[in-house]
Amino acid sequence: MTGSTEGVWLHAVVPHIDPATLDGVPGMDGVRLSVVRAAGLTAVVSKVPLSRYGEEPMLRNLEDLTWLESAARAHHVVVDALSRVGPVVPARLATVYLDPDGVATLLTDRRDDFVDGLDRVAGRAEWGVKAYAMESVTETPGAAESGTAYLRKRRAQLTAHSEGLENAAREASAVHATLAHFAAGARRHAPQDRRLSGAETAMVLNGAYLVDQDRVTEFTELVSALSKCHAAVRIELTGPWPPYSFIAGETS
Amino acid sequence: MTDLLYQPVPLVDLLDRVLATGVVITGDVTISIAEVDLVRISLRALVASVGALAEDGEGFDVFGSASLG
């Protein structure tokens, strides 16, 4: 009883894999990972029940943040483990095939795209650089202040706030330009909503940079130097990430 | 467990990456991500989850400002 009840969740495509790499790395719902080989490529997959991963249940599940989070983390664990041993082309979350043959066909049909993608990310990792506007300094008006003085001060504060944001946005673009010049690839994600990130101030840069592994120290030093010379932003570095941000776009 | 092997990463950073990026595949899949607006769906889940914080009526701003690339 396979085929009709079991689907294949695609995690990533790699050139070749030592099966030992997959030992102890749990797949979706903790299942043992499987591989599908074709056209000299290897797809790393989890066998999943279509009762939960078929189109209809999955569309429902994707609306459930708890499910979404656990699926995103489970998928990431696999992609991350693969990225530590060699180049990897991650699949977007929730790519589920009806059977392994569909995955084999994909590897064959899109071989050139996968090979290009693997070449591009080989020996490189993704780093995230986020910049937030600095907290604007807000003075509490004195208790004995007149209404007019209060309003004048308040207006000055608002002006300072918007100028602060403009400065921060300008510095963020400068930071991005410098990092993009250094990196092998660069991409700006949309700034995260403050309610989701929990940040105190507005995000002005949500950048991803593809960095050669032997230049990581230089890159982190560059981030640190940029952080010191840009006073209008607070910079955060995350990574290394699998090269998630440098795969999209090769859909031709 | 996995937490010992892998540093937990902030969910919002992870979703930026696993939803908006990665190879896009159409064809013989149960859900075609290229056709289903997964990002919109997930953001609806995110918005619902932060609904308690978003009572200022700006809930829908998330769709505009956090399109995750």
Side-chain angles (χ1 to χ4, degrees):
Chain A
M1 273 275 295
T2 55
S4 61
T5 59
E6 200 172 61
V8 181
W9 174 296
L10 178 63
H11 291 289
V13 175
V14 293
H16 159 80
I17 192 135
D18 175 357
T21 306
L22 303 177
D23 286 350
V25 181
M28 302 309 292
D29 300 326
V31 300
R32 200 180 164 78
L33 292 169
S34 314
V35 297
V36 177
R37 292 197 175 88
L41 296 166
T42 302
V44 177
V45 304
S46 288
K47 302 271 178 71
V48 291
L50 288 175
S51 57
R52 270 181 295 142
Y53 292 87
E55 178 172 7
E56 198 193 311
M58 191 137 73
L59 285 175
R60 212 167 39 242
N61 286 336
L62 289 168
E63 304 266 1
D64 171 359
L65 187 69
T66 309
W67 189 94
L68 180 67
E69 171 161 16
S70 80
R73 291 198 184 283
H75 178 66
H76 174 66
V77 161
V78 178
V79 174
D80 191 49
L82 294 171
S83 75
R84 284 162 199 266
V85 294
V88 59
V89 169
R92 190 174 286 200
L93 194 78
T95 302
V96 177
Y97 279 78
L98 294 169
D99 59 55
D101 290 348
V103 179
T105 305
L106 166 79
L107 294 180
T108 306
D109 289 352
R110 299 276 304 276
R111 184 177 192 283
D112 292 349
D113 287 342
F114 286 124
V115 170
D116 286 351
L118 290 165
D119 283 349
R120 189 176 337 125
V121 301
R124 294 170 170 158
E126 175 175 335
W127 291 81
V129 175
K130 296 181 287 184
Y132 301 89
M134 286 305 261
E135 187 72 71
S136 52
V137 184
T138 47
E139 278 176 57
T140 331
E145 235 164 0
S146 74
T148 319
Y150 170 80
L151 287 175
R152 197 183 307 124
K153 195 171 257 180
R154 183 71 190 129
R155 200 172 301 128
Q157 279 173 2
L158 290 174
T159 307
H161 178 70
S162 92
E163 280 172 1
L165 267 183
E166 276 172 34
N167 284 340
R170 206 174 307 117
E171 289 194 357
S173 292
V175 166
H176 175 73
T178 305
L179 295 177
H181 183 72
F182 178 93
R187 176 172 174 183
R188 283 182 89 154
H189 290 289
Q192 294 165 354
D193 188 279
R194 217 187 300 175
R195 285 161 297 175
L196 304 183
S197 67
E200 302 266 299
T201 60
M203 182 181 283
V204 286
L205 173 64
N206 189 12
Y209 306 91
L210 188 63
V211 179
D212 291 351
Q213 260 146 29
D214 55 11
R215 298 187 75 196
V216 166
T217 308
E218 267 180 273
F219 181 76
T220 55
E221 284 167 3
L222 178 58
V223 171
S224 160
L226 287 168
S227 178
K228 285 194 187 98
C229 70
H230 288 92
V233 291
R234 179 173 61 79
I235 290 178
E236 270 181 23
L237 176 69
T238 65
W241 291 91
Y244 289 117
S245 304
F246 300 97
I247 300 301
E250 54 164 340
T251 51
S252 57
Chain B
M1 275 291 294
T2 55
D3 282 0
L4 296 175
L5 288 170
Y6 302 98
Q7 288 288 331
V9 296
L11 178 64
V12 66
D13 289 350
L14 184 57
L15 292 182
D16 274 349
R17 290 171 168 82
V18 297
L19 293 181
T21 67
V23 68
V24 177
I25 292 148
T26 55
D28 188 24
V29 286
T30 61
I31 301 188
S32 171
I33 298 307
E35 289 162 29
V36 174
D37 195 346
L38 181 57
V39 170
R40 187 175 52 77
I41 290 170
S42 343
L43 280 174
R44 205 182 302 152
L46 291 175
V47 170
S49 76
V50 296
L53 303 172
E55 281 170 0
D56 51 8
E58 289 174 12
F60 287 96
D61 282 359
V62 176
F63 292 97
S65 64
S67 63
L68 300 171

